[in-house]
Amino acid sequence: MSSGFFQPISGMDLPRFAGVPSFMRLPVMDLDHARIKDVDVGLIGVPWDSGTTNRPGPRHGPRQLRDASTMIRAQNGATGVRPFDLINCADLGDVGPNPADIPDSMQRITAFFDDVLALGITPLTAGGDHLTSLPILRSLAKDNPVGMVHFDSHTDLYHSYFGGTMYTHGTPFRRAVEEGLLDPKRVVQIGIRGSTYDNEDTDFAKSVGIRVIRIEEFFKRGLEDVMGEAREIVGKEPTYVSYDIDFVDPTFAPGTGTPEVGGPNSFQALEVVRKLDGLNIIGADMVEVSPPFDSSGGTAFLGVSVMFELLCVMATHLTTR
Amino acid sequence: MSSGFFQPISGMDLPRFAGVPSFMRLPVMDLDHARIKDVDVGLIGVPWDSGTTNRPGPRHGPRQLRDASTMIRAQNGATGVRPFDLINCADLGDVGPNPADIPDSMQRITAFFDDVLALGITPLTAGGDHLTSLPILRSLAKDNPVGMVHFDSHTDLYHSYFGGTMYTHGTPFRRAVEEGLLDPKRVVQIGIRGSTYDNEDTDFAKSVGIRVIRIEEFFKRGLEDVMGEAREIVGKEPTYVSYDIDFVDPTFAPGTGTPEVGGPNSFQALEVVRKLDGLNIIGADMVEVSPPFDSSGGTAFLGVSVMFELLCVMATHLTTR
Amino acid sequence: MSSGFFQPISGMDLPRFAGVPSFMRLPVMDLDHARIKDVDVGLIGVPWDSGTTNRPGPRHGPRQLRDASTMIRAQNGATGVRPFDLINCADLGDVGPNPADIPDSMQRITAFFDDVLALGITPLTAGGDHLTSLPILRSLAKDNPVGMVHFDSHTDLYHSYFGGTMYTHGTPFRRAVEEGLLDPKRVVQIGIRGSTYDNEDTDFAKSVGIRVIRIEEFFKRGLEDVMGEAREIVGKEPTYVSYDIDFVDPTFAPGTGTPEVGGPNSFQALEVVRKLDGLNIIGADMVEVSPPFDSSGGTAFLGVSVMFELLCVMATHLTTR
Amino acid sequence: MSSGFFQPISGMDLPRFAGVPSFMRLPVMDLDHARIKDVDVGLIGVPWDSGTTNRPGPRHGPRQLRDASTMIRAQNGATGVRPFDLINCADLGDVGPNPADIPDSMQRITAFFDDVLALGITPLTAGGDHLTSLPILRSLAKDNPVGMVHFDSHTDLYHSYFGGTMYTHGTPFRRAVEEGLLDPKRVVQIGIRGSTYDNEDTDFAKSVGIRVIRIEEFFKRGLEDVMGEAREIVGKEPTYVSYDIDFVDPTFAPGTGTPEVGGPNSFQALEVVRKLDGLNIIGADMVEVSPPFDSSGGTAFLGVSVMFELLCVMATHLTTR
Amino acid sequence: MSSGFFQPISGMDLPRFAGVPSFMRLPVMDLDHARIKDVDVGLIGVPWDSGTTNRPGPRHGPRQLRDASTMIRAQNGATGVRPFDLINCADLGDVGPNPADIPDSMQRITAFFDDVLALGITPLTAGGDHLTSLPILRSLAKDNPVGMVHFDSHTDLYHSYFGGTMYTHGTPFRRAVEEGLLDPKRVVQIGIRGSTYDNEDTDFAKSVGIRVIRIEEFFKRGLEDVMGEAREIVGKEPTYVSYDIDFVDPTFAPGTGTPEVGGPNSFQALEVVRKLDGLNIIGADMVEVSPPFDSSGGTAFLGVSVMFELLCVMATHLTTR
Amino acid sequence: MSSGFFQPISGMDLPRFAGVPSFMRLPVMDLDHARIKDVDVGLIGVPWDSGTTNRPGPRHGPRQLRDASTMIRAQNGATGVRPFDLINCADLGDVGPNPADIPDSMQRITAFFDDVLALGITPLTAGGDHLTSLPILRSLAKDNPVGMVHFDSHTDLYHSYFGGTMYTHGTPFRRAVEEGLLDPKRVVQIGIRGSTYDNEDTDFAKSVGIRVIRIEEFFKRGLEDVMGEAREIVGKEPTYVSYDIDFVDPTFAPGTGTPEVGGPNSFQALEVVRKLDGLNIIGADMVEVSPPFDSSGGTAFLGVSVMFELLCVMATHLTTR
């Protein structure tokens, strides 16, 4: 049961446009805060995009996601879950990146998440581009490889770019498999679509056992069926959830750097997360939200709505484990 | 049969971008116009948003809806109805509000609609925020409570805000039930979704007999089934239709103050109105269109497209009664 | 098999934001280029909109489509087709129009396409408003009438506007039938919707045998069924494909001049083209993309994604014929 | 002295966002209105842009100018003039153009202004592209050539475009001189700047005696000195004022089709008109306001602010003559 | 001398796009914070706009101003002042308003500022519409009337709106004079311009001795001369500074509800504040920043740049008094 | 004298919105083009922004600058210079960067410019962020240090960021001085303003003899006087011109990553370049144009207008030397 200290401010008391915008109007806490050990789930921003090969912008994501998150209320209307009653949540601030140095930034991120995990906090991260997931997994999976449910329009399994560059937002999960952070047999990628360079990424997926579910299959079989398979693939073992906002159709989520047309709508964007209920989720991220391409703010609002669904399944899991 | 005086100007004669923009290119008439008694349906603007608890803007709605409405032609492509041939329609202008005084504005609105009703005109209103519906109902239902089909992502059934404020856009239908303007047993709310504060509103709904159909049920049962139930709930008695544009998914209707992701698309937005055909509609409104958040104008265009569907079912009803 | 000269530049080599933007990063060639005779499919811009009766803008379409097309990669993710390996493609530049003289512009367009056809090149055109299709058909069908699959929310079959003006973007296919360029029995129009002036256009369609499939029928029967009928209508004879971006719902494609709400989504926008596989396509166009109303650029990106699907079915046809 | 009928609605009575937007909240009158003969100055929209050689859009100008004009109040703060007290003003609606036929549109415009002049009304026009001025001058100057103060960044004195097209927005005043509508010795062009094709336009100006004041001279000599010369050039004889919004720097007026950087600011935009006080102004226009490129609406607001200044000097002249 | 606790976070350490955005990256403190008594100047948000008679939006001002303020660095480049070294500054959060109840909101604001003053903190406020200044003055001037330097395009001295409404953003200083909060002989209003209803406001100003400097006088005499007079008018006694962003030309500050063209540029916007150096400033506000009309964010950035100039002159005064 | 091959396409022949957009409608040439040795000035894009410490975006600059440049005509209206008649100009395309690797990108840039210089071509570059200037200077000044006229709101002379990162857009000229590429005694920086971290940069400037002219001095002394001093500082020796678009006030140039309010207007933006006439300019750049923050495209248009002025003074110098 959450204490009052960790309750978000209600829009019935303070209008949603008022106040300094923290994630979901939760208290902002440094890692040396007196009550940090009471935190169950920490919402963390990782504002960088140095691994972006096309249109940058996700470095501005965490701030816009915080702003949009002031629209989130205490109860999940669809499932009835009240996460802030079940567990203690807090905004742990942003990891300070070095926008002009990728290795330095990756080390800063891993170090921050090492500290978070040492405090017993489950992280729910707002990126940042998709390279963000790699330094997080280096912390989360440093002892044992984890499974992953990966929502995206791209596999992010390429070997390298521009004649040999190994660390971009198109390569994190290739690296994560190579580094033994992901158990490829327990990885499922959902929503893949768009024109492609070639089959290098999907050939790699096949070779290591990653299951790739393209959008045509997703629409043909239906959401329930596909998510049922996804649950079986990751099973009851520790699982990471990585949610690239470009999984969703770019009309619903224009604020991203590498959109691919023909994706799921906003209702499906929420529903796929609800179907993760009961899984052993040890961390999750929402990445590639790019405010400069999100003039209406709708992408960020969808992003935090998905984050709230993630938080609800995480809270249920943490309460019932 | 409508006279030529009440025919909208055709885009074949005057391009759609030309001319002073009245609702659907109809004649603009004051309530003291010589031919006012010939009017069957009056399109009325109520430009205010003082009851808004979050992002204001609907005070600019009527003007943008008029502008967008110049795209509407004379015939409903889906149903073949030609409303301007069936009945006499006119733009009755805007109710002049007092943006800095809620009670004064509500009295002005009720007084205007009292005059409209006294002239035998059925009102089709463009708001304004959702508090608009309350002073209209005070006029329409002053003698007998009416039924209501209510499209929205919110119930608008809360008791009060900010420590006791009773009149906001989140409370109109709580007040309308309390004041005996709505017969709760003949009220159905469709499309409800999003995170919520708690169950105060839905508990109230249950306690008085209002039927709430959440979006998950809407998508699961399908539009036809749900609308069939809605028709049964309101029956053949006088019914008001209140259409909050945030019923529609915010990607299709971003121009609104309190969006909730995961709603119906634009085709469904029109279809639900077509299913009201034959009901005894005594008035209708389109509310919460907020131009400052509608940079493309698409929300207003969807809003007037819905208004045209409302007009078609109203015209059919008025002709066949 | 395509030679290296005709291969698009890969985003793995040169980032997608770099370089002068030609269609799909293909070589730009004048009609007097040394290798022009090796070209199988030519991508051609026709930047004009003088036939527009409402909101202008498509004259800016080709440039924005080129810009957006730098996001297209070499392989179709859904079908596996690699068009640039199958055939030689090139950007043939823009037809230079006279924006202040409709007849002069139409003659310039027809003359350009006469030259293109004389070189044995199959044209894939980026408009321009929908009047563009008429001068193209005057070239393509000068000897024999052709069939047409026409995606649109409007029939574009009106007789005239503004008291007798015969050449606007609402009349091209009326003229094409009258001039014997289209075989009306082999013409199918898909996606028609929105309010209409009257039945003049559909009466004409009926009188000559054009099949009109309204959006309600499209959604009710389903995409596969409808497209099956379309394939039967045009059969194995030479067929033109004309794709007005306003076929797609305006939320997915706001950048157009005469939007109609309630249309297909972006996945369906692509799927309908995939169902044209195997038809005898002798030319195709993407028209009515209007950048001034496309602030996010999403319409253009969807437009070129559709053009890539068109190119894939054209390449397959040209390879297997 | 104006009667109450012709008084604009005060924002103290009806908020500025309310009501159907006519020019400056004046009554809208057809030319057959019972009180049309009482009108001194008629505000007229000419919504077309078929003569545009680059970016279209001014066909949407009159509607946006009307919308923005609801911000104009009854009194000129700088000069103290109250035009609506001095003379009777009305919104005479729009001339219906034929967007697909330039000669037809020009005839419609001239015919409309012939009627207006026959009623003794002085016209203040909202365009439309700059070709608009030519058919107006054909009406205003049909008996005698007039003088002109012309604010613009371009001379609009070119002979023809695109291989011989004589009627575009770059040629109206060449035609007007050729047709004897303008007395070139009494024409002054102020604000000319930007890169140019060559000297064809200024050579023509020199050859007929038109005075061209480039922006460098304008800034160097100062506004007062330049406007003093302008007053001398046109003298006391009948003078037309043509104000192209691209006279103003495009940062202050981005909503236009052919901007040129380095122009006057908004204060100077108003001041130049105030310096016309006392001239014998027989008509004026504000052209090239292009809403699709005016996302903030600031260009239209500046445009109507200039129109109000024009109205004030016209009202003073009409009162004191 | 400021302690390290009160130093803003440097962009050299944490990139400016990172971190929860407080005013100028200062610590956020509740009024019951342990170190609250060390605060010299408190930056306070008052997010409301219920007194707005035209276009609402300033309720969103404080949040956007905080976001933009992360661009402010520690040192004034023009004057060399380092305010955070001179005094302790903190972000005191927002006053929680009641958007649907003007009197309630005014009481909440006055109560908050009473507490702030009781702690010995000098307030620098971010509004909010201009009615904000009245409840602040009720706290600041409750014992003695104060002087005021008022930058604005409007006098805000009207008696009432809409038939008797006394509390709007057009009336605060009329009320403040009536309530004895302002000493009218020590009040100067700078930048007044635009069309006006009549002379009611300036007649009142004259009758009580308020000095009104219109923009024409401002530009004619020059900034230095005008500001010298302003300094003499307020003298050495306690002075409030109220800065309505619509003082600045709307091209430089489009994000506001009632713009008036023809105002000062951004350099002048800063310079007028620098000329207040040495005055006895007991509080200041920046009001009418309206994010919904500020798509680029430039208005907010200019607003916080002005706030930084205000802070610098306040810090200098507090240090040298 | 330029040959016809190098003449830009006239808007009188092909409308400005038509055609593949090269810089100023010049021919696009690879460095191995048959006529490459005839080129006098090469316009080159460097699309990267990896050195950006705040808001990224300039990687999209070259493409948008090319698009905007289609508005540039053949003759300078202010000076009468016709650069394309004086010298041969061409678009040499973009340097292909590696967006995820700063050292690799810098080497690519230097290598490209080495090739350009070897061909005897004078480069006029469109960036890219300001770090772009460093790898260019490594090529241009590899034998002898050069002088520089630097327009900017920042000195870009900082030592390092984020705990030691040496290569960002805030450090290029510190590095250039250290590497002996710039002769600091012949360097002048104009327009410096905004809040600053401290005096580290200006202390360095003083220590090596760089002349820093702040904006206050610029406005006080006037443009002519300041530019006269600038000419004396660089003298007749080889001089580089680096023009950061944030030199201009952000209202005139919002599309940039680190704006500072209170800068020059657009007329002054052009005039400062005209005052460079006659200097020995061996290369120039326009940097920090960031399309994601330039929704109207006005920044890019101003940017290319400045580039045209640069080209004019370069052409005059190359012709008269």
Side-chain angles (χ1 to χ4, degrees), chain C:
Chain C
M1 176 60 70
S2 168
S3 79
F5 178 84
F6 291 102
Q7 287 294 316
I9 301 165
S10 170
M12 288 291 194
D13 298 327
L14 185 72
R16 304 207 156 274
F17 47 79
V20 179
S22 62
F23 280 125
M24 301 186 194
R25 310 189 106 188
L26 290 164
V28 180
M29 299 169 75
D30 286 331
L31 295 193
D32 56 2
H33 189 282
R35 299 200 53 180
I36 191 71
K37 297 217 168 172
D38 296 335
V39 177
D40 298 303
V41 170
L43 289 86
I44 302 166
V46 185
W48 78 320
D49 54 17
S50 303
T52 300
T53 60
N54 187 19
R55 307 188 303 177
R59 69 178 69 184
H60 301 292
R63 187 171 294 172
Q64 199 198 27
L65 287 162
R66 279 192 179 90
D67 189 354
S69 78
T70 61
M71 297 287 282
I72 301 295
R73 303 179 194 85
Q75 180 170 309
N76 188 315
T79 65
V81 172
R82 296 179 65 83
F84 310 114
D85 289 353
L86 296 177
I87 56 172
N88 289 338
C89 302
D91 182 333
L92 304 188
D94 281 357
V95 182
N98 181 339
D101 190 327
I102 291 177
D104 183 16
S105 291
M106 287 205 289
Q107 285 168 9
R108 293 174 186 221
I109 297 167
T110 300
F112 188 93
F113 279 80
D114 282 348
D115 290 346
V116 166
L117 293 181
L119 289 161
I121 299 173
T122 301
L124 174 54
T125 306
D129 69 33
H130 220 149
L131 184 50
T132 305
S133 303
L134 180 60
I136 294 175
L137 286 171
R138 283 177 177 169
S139 181
L140 271 172
K142 81 172 132 229
D143 299 319
N144 289 298
V146 298
M148 180 170 70
V149 182
H150 175 201
F151 301 104
D152 205 328
S153 63
H154 313 94
T155 63
D156 294 353
L157 288 173
Y158 278 95
H159 177 268
S160 60
Y161 280 65
F162 310 125
T165 298
M166 304 287 279
Y167 298 100
T168 79
H169 68 158
T171 67
F173 301 121
R174 182 75 162 257
R175 291 297 92 74
V177 170
E178 293 169 354
E179 298 181 15
L181 306 171
L182 287 176
D183 173 0
K185 303 271 189 294
R186 294 185 52 240
V187 171
V188 57
Q189 301 186 311
I190 304 171
I192 308 305
R193 65 184 183 274
S195 65
T196 60
Y197 294 111
D198 48 37
N199 296 322
E200 194 227 297
D201 57 338
T202 48
D203 287 349
F204 173 78
K206 263 182 236 167
S207 74
V208 295
I210 292 174
R211 170 72 167 112
V212 175
I213 302 179
R214 287 188 53 83
I215 198 67
E216 295 82 21
E217 182 179 350
F218 178 87
F219 283 139
K220 192 159 197 175
R221 290 173 54 192
L223 189 150
E224 296 241 7
D225 192 21
V226 162
M227 292 310 300
E229 181 188 350
R231 295 173 63 90
E232 282 180 27
I233 289 169
V234 297
K236 289 296 178 188
E237 296 305 301
T239 298
Y240 190 70
V241 182
S242 188
Y243 199 119
D244 187 320
I245 196 68
D246 71 26
F247 167 70
V248 193
D249 188 89
T251 294
F252 294 85
T256 197
T258 315
E260 305 293 347
V261 301
N265 65 24
S266 59
F267 183 74
Q268 295 159 334
L270 303 177
E271 279 286 299
V272 292
V273 179
R274 290 172 190 154
K275 299 302 180 192
L276 302 178
D277 187 47
L279 295 183
N280 183 357
I281 301 172
I282 59 163
D285 64 44
M286 161 57 59
V287 296
E288 297 285 355
V289 172
S290 182
F293 298 96
D294 186 29
S295 62
S296 74
T299 307
F301 181 48
L302 179 56
V304 294
S305 297
V306 170
M307 285 179 73
F308 182 68
E309 296 291 342
L310 285 166
L311 183 63
C312 288
V313 293
M314 291 166 81
T316 307
H317 167 64
L318 288 171
T319 310
T320 58
R321 65 180 170 181

Side-chain angles (χ1 to χ4, degrees), chain B residues 60 63, chain D residues 8-12 14-19 21-26 64-76 84 296-298 300-305 308, chain E residues 52-56 153-154 169 193-197 246 250 254 256-261 293:
Chain B
H60 301 291
R63 186 170 295 171
Chain D
I9 301 163
S10 170
M12 287 293 196
L14 185 72
R16 303 207 158 273
F17 48 81
S22 62
F23 280 125
M24 300 185 193
R25 311 188 105 191
L26 291 165
Q64 200 197 27
L65 287 162
R66 277 190 180 90
D67 189 355
S69 79
T70 61
M71 297 288 282
I72 301 296
R73 303 180 194 84
Q75 179 170 309
N76 189 314
F84 311 112
S296 74
F301 181 48
L302 179 57
V304 294
S305 297
F308 182 70
Chain E
T52 301
T53 60
N54 188 18
R55 307 189 303 177
S153 62
H154 312 95
H169 69 161
R193 66 183 182 275
S195 65
T196 60
Y197 296 110
D246 70 27
T256 196
T258 314
E260 305 293 347
V261 302
F293 299 96

Side-chain angles (χ1 to χ4, degrees), chain D residues 28-186:
Chain D
V28 180
M29 300 171 76
D30 285 333
L31 295 193
D32 57 2
H33 190 282
R35 299 199 55 179
I36 192 70
K37 297 218 169 172
D38 296 336
V39 176
D40 297 303
V41 170
L43 289 85
I44 301 166
V46 185
W48 78 321
D49 52 19
S50 303
T52 301
T53 59
N54 187 18
R55 307 188 305 177
R59 67 177 70 186
H60 301 290
R63 186 170 296 170
Q64 200 197 27
L65 287 162
R66 277 190 180 90
D67 189 355
S69 79
T70 61
M71 297 288 282
I72 301 296
R73 303 180 194 84
Q75 179 170 309
N76 189 314
T79 65
V81 172
R82 295 180 65 83
F84 311 112
D85 288 355
L86 297 177
I87 57 172
N88 289 337
C89 302
D91 181 334
L92 304 187
D94 281 357
V95 181
N98 182 340
D101 190 327
I102 291 177
D104 184 16
S105 290
M106 288 205 290
Q107 284 167 11
R108 293 175 185 219
I109 298 167
T110 301
F112 188 94
F113 280 80
D114 282 347
D115 290 347
V116 167
L117 294 182
L119 289 161
I121 300 173
T122 301
L124 173 54
T125 306
D129 69 35
H130 221 148
L131 184 51
T132 305
S133 303
L134 179 60
I136 294 175
L137 286 171
R138 283 176 177 171
S139 181
L140 271 172
K142 81 174 130 226
D143 299 319
N144 288 299
V146 298
M148 180 170 70
V149 181
H150 175 200
F151 300 104
D152 206 329
S153 62
H154 312 95
T155 62
D156 295 352
L157 286 174
Y158 278 95
H159 177 269
S160 60
Y161 280 65
F162 311 125
T165 299
M166 305 287 280
Y167 298 99
T168 79
H169 68 160
T171 67
F173 301 120
R174 181 75 161 258
R175 292 296 92 75
V177 170
E178 293 168 355
E179 298 181 16
L181 306 171
L182 287 176
D183 174 359
K185 304 272 188 295
R186 290 185 53 243

Side-chain angles (χ1 to χ4, degrees), chain F residues 244-311:
Chain F
D244 187 320
I245 196 69
D246 71 26
F247 166 70
V248 192
D249 188 87
T251 293
F252 294 84
T256 198
T258 314
E260 306 292 346
V261 302
N265 66 23
S266 59
F267 183 74
Q268 294 159 335
L270 303 177
E271 279 286 298
V272 291
V273 179
R274 291 172 188 153
K275 299 301 179 192
L276 302 179
D277 187 49
L279 296 184
N280 182 358
I281 300 174
I282 57 163
D285 64 46
M286 160 57 60
V287 295
E288 297 286 354
V289 172
S290 182
F293 298 96
D294 185 30
S295 61
S296 73
T299 308
F301 182 47
L302 178 57
V304 295
S305 297
V306 169
M307 285 178 74
F308 182 68
E309 297 291 341
L310 285 165
L311 183 63

Side-chain angles (χ1 to χ4, degrees), chain F residues 16-43:
Chain F
R16 303 209 157 273
F17 48 79
V20 179
S22 61
F23 281 124
M24 300 185 193
R25 310 189 105 190
L26 291 165
V28 181
M29 300 170 74
D30 286 332
L31 295 192
D32 56 3
H33 190 282
R35 297 198 55 177
I36 191 70
K37 295 219 169 171
D38 296 335
V39 177
D40 297 304
V41 170
L43 288 85

Side-chain angles (χ1 to χ4, degrees), chain E residues 9 33 80 147 154 173 180 308 314:
Chain E
I9 300 165
H33 189 282
H154 312 95
F173 301 121
F308 182 68
M314 290 165 82

Side-chain angles (χ1 to χ4, degrees), chain F residues 216-236:
Chain F
E216 294 82 22
E217 181 179 352
F218 178 88
F219 284 139
K220 190 158 198 175
R221 291 172 53 190
L223 189 151
E224 296 241 7
D225 190 21
V226 161
M227 292 310 299
E229 180 187 351
R231 295 173 63 92
E232 283 181 26
I233 289 170
V234 296
K236 290 296 178 186

Side-chain angles (χ1 to χ4, degrees), chain A residues 7 18 65 68 138 168 199 252 257 287:
Chain A
Q7 287 293 316
L65 287 162
R138 282 177 177 169
T168 79
N199 295 321
F252 294 85
V287 296

